[in-house]
Amino acid sequence: MSSLTHAQLLAAARAFCDSFAQKRPIEEILLHFASPPASSTGTSAAATSPSPTSSTADEGKTSHNRGGSEILVHEHGLPQLAPFLGQDFRGLAGARQYFETVGACLSYEDMRFMEFVADTAAGGEGDENENEGEDVDVGKGGKVAVRGKARFTWKDTGQSWDETFLYILCFDARAKLKTYEVWADSGAAYLARRGELGGSTREREEPK
């Protein structure tokens, strides 16, 4: 299989980000992620576990060596600050749980993405010689760093804040997401959750 070109990598990243900007349903967002390996029987933990893995540190070190379509979603931050932070959500079921958890806590407006930096040389994790026991000719994916902005609101308190965030997207050779990492303002989310985000309440929101 041929490797992704720079243009293909950027197109895949833009399509994924556009799904957020357009507030597409979770089902559509999940279409951007890699499918389970063809050899999967649907019984692997990565494909079926509905909850993030927190006690499998060794698995975390070796999961990228399994090749195929191992999916990881991780938003960096302390788990004590928000229920979607600091946990590894694995597989399509884990990705779904991440998006459902975020959606239950937050709403957002005016999401836009203004910077995409693609690296085809980085390759997708597990796309090179780490696919032991699988086809060798799998091609290479790549990684894209994305900077975006949006106005978020913690639903329970109605407190809002403007935020700049960063994504690191790792794609396989089929331009499907394998790793989705998020760096955002976890401190603002925590304060808004507690109703302590001073000067950033409902009255600051622009009229519809």
Side-chain angles (χ1 to χ4, degrees), residues 4 79 117 194:
L4 289 181
V117 179
R194 292 174 56 89

Side-chain angles (χ1 to χ4, degrees), residues 17-70:
C17 292
D18 284 347
S19 67
F20 287 113
Q22 298 167 8
K23 297 187 176 181
R24 307 308 299 173
I26 291 177
E27 291 295 338
E28 292 189 27
I29 294 174
L30 292 176
L31 293 176
H32 294 277
F33 284 84
S35 301
S39 59
S40 172
T41 61
T43 58
S44 68
T48 61
S49 175
S51 60
T53 56
S54 58
S55 60
T56 54
D58 291 338
E59 285 186 16
K61 296 177 181 178
T62 60
S63 62
H64 297 310
N65 295 332
R66 298 170 187 163
S69 301
E70 178 74 15

Side-chain angles (χ1 to χ4, degrees), residues 154 156-160 188-201:
W154 195 276
D156 285 349
T157 64
Q159 293 202 331
S160 303
Y190 174 71
L191 291 175
R193 178 188 184 186
R194 292 174 56 89
E196 298 175 357
L197 194 61
S200 187
T201 54

Side-chain angles (χ1 to χ4, degrees), residues 129-142:
N129 297 326
E130 297 178 345
N131 295 301
E132 297 181 5
E134 298 185 10
D135 293 336
V136 176
D137 186 20
V138 294
K140 289 180 64 176

Side-chain angles (χ1 to χ4, degrees), residues 55-100:
S55 60
T56 54
D58 291 338
E59 285 186 16
K61 296 177 181 178
T62 60
S63 62
H64 297 310
N65 295 332
R66 298 170 187 163
S69 301
E70 178 74 15
I71 293 171
L72 170 64
V73 177
H74 186 98
E75 181 163 350
H76 294 267
L78 292 175
Q80 297 91 331
L81 301 184
F84 48 82
L85 294 175
Q87 304 179 62
D88 287 348
F89 294 85
R90 295 189 177 275
L92 282 174
R96 177 190 296 278
Q97 185 190 8
Y98 169 79
F99 292 124
E100 289 178 346

Side-chain angles (χ1 to χ4, degrees), residues 26 103 107 122 167 208:
I26 291 177
S107 62
Y167 294 164
K208 303 295 183 182

